Amino acid sequence: MRAPLADRSVRRVALVRLRVGLGDLLCSMPALGRLRAARPDLHVSLITWPEMAPVVDRMGRMVDELLPFPGAEGIPERTPDPDGWASFLAAAAKRRFDLALQVYGDRPAANRVTAALGARLAGGFAPTGWDPPAGTAPLHLRYPAHLHETDRHLRLFEQLGVPAGPPARMSFPISEADDAEHATTLGNSGLVPGRYVVLHPGASSPTRRWPAECHAAVGDALAADGWDVVLTGVAGERPISAAVQSRMGAPATDLTGATSLGGLAALLRDCAVLVGNDTGSAHLAAAVGAPTVTVFLPGDPVRWAHPGPRHRAVIADVACAPCPHLVCPIDFRCAASVRPADVLAAARDLLDEGVG
C-alpha cells in the first residue's frame, strides 16, 4: 500500500483532532507545517471543537477549514450533541474525503469517529489495545506514548509519506494588531519588555493547578529580586489569579482576561520568564520563544515538557503521577510534593542565565 500522504490521488484530508486545549493544537503545528510544505495541493479539514476557531485561524495555510465537531460518546472534552451528529456526518460526506486520520491520541473512540466520516481511506494513531481493521495496518501508527506530543504527530505523518526534516520548532504568528494591543497593555500597566515575569496559575482541570499560595510565594520572591510580577489567564480564571494576588505581599499586575490570544502571545514573548502550570500558556510561551518554568502535577512531562536550555520542568515526586484525574480522588499529594523553593530556583536559574 502506497503511503497516502505521498499519493497525489489523495487530495482531501480530514484530521480528527478532537481537543479543546491551546497546547494540543500548538503542538500539532510543526507536523501540519511540514505536511503543507510537502503537499501544498492538499485540502486539509481539521475536525475539532468550534471554540478552537481562534487558534485554527492562527494556523494560516496549514489548515483550510475547521469542521466543527458535535461530540461523541467516549470523547471526554465536551458533552455530545446528538442532534448535531447527523448534520456533522452529512457535512463530512459532502467533502468526499480521500483520507481521514485519527490524530487525537490514545483513545479508540476517536478511531470510531474517524471511520464514520466515510473517507476512502482511514488511518492515524492506533490506540493501546485497539487493532486496525484488516488490510489497513500500514495506514496506522501504534500510539507512540514515549515521544513528546509534537514528535508523535511528526512520526505519524512521516510514516504516512511526509518527508522527514530538521528538528521541528513550535511557532505562533504575532500580527501588527497583536503588537499594537501589547504596546497599549504595557503602556497602561507601566511594564517594560524584559523586566517582568509572568505567573499563570490557572489550568482547565483542578489537578493541574499548583496551589495559589505556592504561586504567591514564588511571585513575592521574584518581586524581591527586582522583577515586576504579572498574572495572566483567561477571563474564567480571574478568581484563581485573585487568590494568588491576595496572598502576595508584593504588588502584582493582574492581566487575567485582559488580553486577546495574540496579545497574550506578545506579552509572553517579551517576558523574562513564565512560571506556570502544565497548560496552554506554557506551550504558547515556548512557541514565541519565552523561557518557561512549568509545574507538572498529574501531567505527563514526557508528552508535554519542552526540551532545551530555555525551559525547566519541575515534576511532582509521587508514585501516582502522571494520572488522568481532573479532580484528585485522594489528597492531592502531587501538589504538596512540589516546593516553591524548587520552582523559584528554576526561575532564577533561567533569569541568571539571561536566556530571554
Side-chain angles (χ1 to χ4, degrees), residues 213-259:
E213 59 269 23
C214 296
H215 282 283
V218 173
D220 276 337
L222 292 174
D225 290 345
W227 299 97
D228 291 327
V229 177
V230 178
L231 296 165
T232 61
V234 298
E237 293 171 332
R238 285 182 179 131
I240 299 172
S241 293
V244 174
Q245 190 170 37
S246 69
R247 287 164 171 78
M248 288 182 62
T253 300
D254 188 358
L255 296 178
T256 306
T259 64

Side-chain angles (χ1 to χ4, degrees), residues 108-132:
N111 296 78
R112 294 193 291 271
V113 172
T114 305
L117 299 177
R120 179 164 57 88
L121 301 170
F125 289 128
T128 305
W130 180 90
D131 292 323

Side-chain angles (χ1 to χ4, degrees), residues 58 174-189 255 257-267 269:
R58 295 284 175 155
I174 294 177
S175 68
E176 291 183 4
D178 298 331
D179 274 324
E181 175 193 328
H182 177 51
T184 300
T185 299
L186 295 182
N188 290 342
S189 56
L255 296 178
T259 64
S260 67
L261 177 61
L264 176 61
L267 185 76
R269 178 197 62 196

Side-chain angles (χ1 to χ4, degrees), residues 194-195 197 222 225-227 272-273 291 293 309 312 344-356:
R195 291 304 312 158
V197 298
L222 292 174
D225 290 345
W227 299 97
V273 69
V293 176
R312 303 285 188 275
L344 177 61
R348 282 174 170 164
D349 186 34
L350 289 171
L351 292 166
D352 289 345
E353 291 179 5
V355 298

Side-chain angles (χ1 to χ4, degrees), residues 257-281:
T259 64
S260 67
L261 177 61
L264 176 61
L267 185 76
L268 293 173
R269 178 197 62 196
D270 289 346
C271 77
V273 69
L274 165 72
V275 178
N277 298 314
D278 165 32
T279 190
S281 62

